[in-house]
Amino acid sequence: MKNIVHCAHSASSNAVTSTTRIPLLILNGMTPQHLDQIGQRFDVCYAPTPDTRAQAIAQQGARFRAVLTIGAVGLTAQEIAAMPALELVCALGAGYENVALDAARARGIALANGAGTNDDCVADHAFGLLIAIVRGMRTLDRQCRAGVWRDAIGLPPNVSRKRLGIFGLGTIGHKIARRAAGFDMEIGYHNRSPRAEVPHRYFPSLQELAAWCDVLVCATPGGASTRHRVNAEVLQALGPQGYLVNIARGSVVDTQALAAALRERRIAGAGLDVYESEPAPPQELVGLDNVLLTPHVAGWSPEAVQASVDRFLANAEGHFAGRGVVSPI
């Protein structure tokens, strides 16, 4: 995409003109099809790069009434201040860790996200990583291509009946637990406080959960409160037969501590969809054969992305119609 602000308007001859549509600034990458869908109803200024973003806000900030972003891209307090007409900020997905919520709330700006729109996709991906690392799929694929037969390979462990620890038993954590139940896994979890409505075992500390479980899955929100919660001590508690899966945010795991634990075989393996260096690959991990990496796609599928776009439209239209947003932050 060229390094300019691109305003996507409807090509439909019977669509209302841009002057009657609400000006919307989109800061995250989107497909042409979804830009067109949103552009049918809003006057869209598409600025998905740092340069186009800065240019759009500097030149057109006074007119924007809504912003669409994602948690990793965010929206700063300074940017909010540069948009005096702003009244709605939406995160396309569930995450909103880099959105300046306090600054928005101080202005009375409505806040919404896409909670629930990609939960199934994320839970599916988490379980795919779990199975792949426990069964050693990456190594088995390489060995098979090299002509190594099973007699020369050790026995990969079962997934069934392992103990699964979930760090962050929110909606996605619940869906991971439901999938784990199909594998007869015993489930424990750590949250800030126990949830009375669930039957799973609660652990008051993440380190205690790690010491108990065979596989630790991170499904907690990102942000300062969870930064490096999975540290050297937690990995040590997980132990040499333990596995780590992270589909939360890269900041939740201390990359240096994880790299050391994997190199020294102090944990058995890890499957990561998120990492601190993204979008650049985590150089500390790429050379290790006991880690499986995917490029932050756990929540990406045609179905999930369409659902998140539809949710944004529902949030935006609810706000501007005076009904309120569908899924407030």
Side-chain angles (χ1 to χ4, degrees):
M1 181 172 293
K2 293 182 179 179
N3 222 16
I4 60 171
V5 174
H6 170 63
C7 290
H9 299 303
S10 169
S12 173
S13 59
N14 60 4
V16 293
T17 64
S18 64
T19 57
T20 63
R21 285 178 289 170
I22 293 166
L24 165 68
L25 175 62
I26 298 181
L27 299 178
N28 51 283
M30 301 199 78
T31 67
Q33 293 80 7
H34 289 135
L35 284 173
D36 184 64
Q37 181 185 356
I38 295 172
Q40 298 289 332
R41 308 183 197 185
F42 293 88
D43 178 12
V44 174
C45 180
Y46 182 50
T49 69
D51 287 346
T52 58
R53 172 179 180 157
Q55 183 182 354
I57 294 172
Q59 296 180 357
Q60 306 181 58
R63 75 184 189 94
F64 295 126
R65 294 177 62 192
V67 170
L68 176 61
T69 186
I70 58 175
V73 169
L75 186 70
T76 69
Q78 292 77 14
E79 290 170 330
I80 290 171
M83 292 183 277
L86 185 62
E87 56 184 280
L88 173 68
V89 176
C90 288
L92 188 65
Y96 48 84
E97 66 273 15
N98 289 316
V99 176
L101 300 181
D102 290 343
R105 288 178 173 136
R107 280 260 306 273
I109 294 169
L111 295 161
N113 68 351
T117 55
N118 67 355
D119 291 352
D120 283 324
C121 191
V122 175
D124 290 350
H125 197 88
F127 223 82
L129 288 172
L130 188 159
I131 294 171
I133 61 171
V134 173
R135 293 292 293 170
M137 298 293 192
R138 180 175 180 269
T139 301
L140 291 172
D141 176 81
R142 175 176 51 78
Q143 290 171 323
C144 188
R145 292 170 190 271
V148 179
W149 185 238
R150 66 183 185 184
D151 295 340
I153 299 171
L155 299 175
N158 269 18
V159 172
S160 297
R161 296 180 175 80
K162 289 281 188 291
R163 288 178 168 180
L164 177 66
I166 301 175
F167 176 30
L169 195 67
T171 306
I172 292 173
H174 274 296
K175 294 202 169 186
I176 294 169
R178 285 174 56 192
R179 285 152 177 77
F183 286 79
D184 299 316
M185 299 180 84
E186 189 177 353
I187 298 162
Y189 72 101
H190 170 68
N191 279 358
R192 283 175 294 184
S193 57
R195 303 190 62 161
E197 75 277 16
V198 302
H200 313 308
R201 181 175 175 182
Y202 175 73
F203 288 81
S205 78
L206 183 56
Q207 193 164 340
E208 290 176 82
L209 176 64
W212 172 83
C213 69
D214 300 301
V215 184
L216 176 64
V217 177
C218 298
T220 188
S225 65
T226 58
R227 184 178 184 274
H228 286 188
R229 287 290 308 280
V230 178
N231 54 23
E233 291 74 25
V234 169
L235 294 169
Q236 189 68 31
L238 188 57
Q241 304 302 315
Y243 299 86
L244 174 72
V245 173
N246 187 12
I247 46 78
R249 285 293 186 264
S251 58
V252 173
V253 177
D254 182 336
T255 306
Q256 299 298 327
L258 176 60
L262 289 166
R263 279 196 310 267
E264 298 163 14
R265 306 287 171 168
R266 288 186 280 109
I267 68 169
L272 309 177
D273 184 56
V274 290
Y275 29 88
E276 294 185 276
S277 60
E278 59 185 66
Q283 291 303 321
E284 305 92 335
L285 304 175
V286 293
L288 302 176
D289 64 1
N290 55 347
V291 62
L292 181 63
L293 302 171
T294 58
H296 202 153
V297 295
W300 282 29
S301 69
E303 300 89 346
V305 175
Q306 186 61 59
S308 67
V309 171
D310 293 343
R311 174 66 62 80
F312 161 69
L313 290 171
N315 276 320
E317 291 174 3
H319 170 76
F320 288 113
R323 300 188 303 270
V325 299
V326 174
S327 47
I329 295 175

